[in-house]
Amino acid sequence: MEHIVTVQEAVTTLPDWMEPTDSELDAIEAELPQIRADVEALDVQIALLNQTPTELDQRRARRGRRRVLSERATLANRAISGAVA
């Protein structure tokens, strides 16, 4: 019988240069509201795929789209003003 040896450390350990830097993590954190808004809007769209949307569903979809646009505008304004680099 042959023994199978795993290479767990080689798979899970990444060199330091492959880890995100502090500035990259800060940029991701600054974009989190936009990411969350996109995910919520997508959840609404997915929920509406298999049914005829009611008035309430249409309002939820519009609210989600407005939130996505609002978050995008906020993020773009911060980038223009230099708050996010």
Side-chain angles (χ1 to χ4, degrees), residues 33-34 36-46 48 53-73:
Q34 169 66 45
R36 287 188 182 119
D38 283 333
V39 168
E40 288 176 16
L42 187 60
D43 285 344
V44 170
Q45 290 175 357
I46 290 170
L48 297 178
T54 63
E55 180 62 32
L56 181 62
D57 293 331
Q58 291 173 349
R59 279 190 247 159
R60 285 180 61 212
R62 283 193 303 268
R63 192 177 321 125
R65 286 191 296 268
R66 282 194 305 265
R67 182 165 176 230
V68 166
L69 291 174
S70 173
E71 291 296 338
R72 285 182 185 169

Side-chain angles (χ1 to χ4, degrees), residues 15-43:
D16 290 337
W17 60 269
M18 289 188 74
E19 295 292 324
T21 63
D22 288 339
S23 62
E24 290 171 333
L25 291 174
D26 290 341
I28 292 170
E29 189 173 328
E31 293 175 7
L32 270 180
Q34 169 66 45
I35 295 167
R36 287 188 182 119
D38 283 333
V39 168
E40 288 176 16
L42 187 60
D43 285 344

